[in-house]
Amino acid sequence: MICHVILYEAALLLTCLLGDFLPSTVSGNHGNLWRALIDSLTHGGVAFFSWAVLVQARNIRGFWESLICGLLGMAIDSDHFIAARSLSLQAALSLRSRPFLHSSTLTLALCVLLFLTGHALNKGWIKLLSVMCFLAWTSHHVRDGSRRGLWFPPLGSTPAIPYSIYVTVTCLMPLVMMFLLQTCHVDFISLTAHRQLVKEARLNNILPV
């Protein structure tokens, strides 16, 4: 169990460092495309390994959950194209302000609403999804925050997060969440809980039978 956590934490740290170094090595006519691709994959990798740490992924279900978390971490950047009203990468990169899904106020509110909905309906899979969204979206915002700070409308933005703090927060966040979830007896790790969540999802036509 500890070995899995150490392995995923090391992969998480390496993803942060490589993802922030590689864009500086890219140049040429397609530089913007490659930098955007590397940036998006890094966001996805950070979310992927963060969830793997949280659930201490040891089987195929843990892998798929981590993959979903990674996709959620990448999906936020779709708001660049929505705000630009164009599929053009240049238009998406030329916005004068941050698009709506980069608002930490909005994403935190959505996660809380999702969790409360799951609690009210007594649906474990919705509560799990809320935690997954929180980890994916917050890790994305923290990484972006190392360049522009965190955005909390209508209050404004924080100063840019120092790089060492960004890396430290990113690596510690899944560990802290693991501790809090276990302390609050919210078990997303045990096989019994996984089976119950999958059963609920299938009954609600979320997953195929």
Side-chain angles (χ1 to χ4, degrees):
M1 186 177 297
I2 296 298
C3 292
H4 287 88
V5 172
I6 294 174
L7 177 64
Y8 292 135
E9 278 288 327
L12 178 56
L13 175 60
L14 185 61
T15 300
C16 290
L17 298 178
L18 277 178
D20 295 326
F21 167 74
L22 290 177
S24 65
T25 67
V26 175
S27 60
N29 295 332
H30 300 290
N32 284 340
L33 174 61
W34 284 109
R35 280 189 289 271
L37 181 60
I38 292 170
D39 186 64
S40 183
L41 290 174
T42 302
H43 281 306
V46 167
F48 177 95
F49 288 116
S50 293
W51 188 261
V53 171
L54 177 62
V55 299
Q56 302 166 45
R58 299 185 297 276
N59 51 38
I60 190 65
R61 186 157 305 284
F63 170 81
W64 281 113
E65 287 180 0
S66 299
L67 183 60
I68 292 171
C69 190
L71 292 174
L72 287 170
M74 296 170 65
I76 284 187
D77 280 334
S78 63
D79 65 352
H80 284 274
F81 297 95
I82 296 172
R85 298 181 180 180
S86 170
L87 294 178
S88 165
L89 179 61
Q90 186 60 40
L93 295 176
S94 302
L95 297 175
R96 295 183 178 181
S97 60
R98 295 193 231 191
F100 63 100
L101 286 179
H102 285 69
S103 161
S104 295
T105 306
L106 175 61
T107 55
L108 285 172
L110 289 174
C111 291
V112 171
L113 179 61
L114 197 57
F115 185 86
L116 292 177
T117 300
H119 181 74
L121 298 177
N122 195 28
K123 300 297 183 182
W125 67 269
I126 298 180
K127 290 187 283 188
L128 183 144
L129 181 61
S130 72
V131 176
M132 190 178 288
C133 288
F134 175 82
L135 190 56
W137 296 343
T138 303
S139 66
H140 187 117
H141 287 184
V142 169
R143 182 166 180 266
D144 283 352
S146 66
R147 292 168 291 208
R148 297 188 293 175
L150 297 173
W151 182 36
F152 291 98
L155 301 178
S157 300
T158 69
I161 301 172
Y163 189 80
S164 59
I165 294 180
Y166 138 63
V167 173
T168 301
V169 169
T170 298
C171 291
L172 287 180
M173 185 160 50
L175 296 174
V176 171
M177 290 183 64
M178 182 199 306
F179 172 78
L180 291 176
L181 291 173
Q182 291 178 351
T183 301
C184 297
H185 305 292
V186 182
D187 187 3
F188 293 133
I189 298 174
S190 72
L191 184 58
T192 302
H194 276 304
R195 287 173 175 169
Q196 180 62 29
L197 290 169
V198 172
K199 182 179 179 181
E200 288 181 10
R202 285 176 174 167
L203 288 174
N204 289 277
N205 297 319
I206 303 299
L207 290 176
V209 177

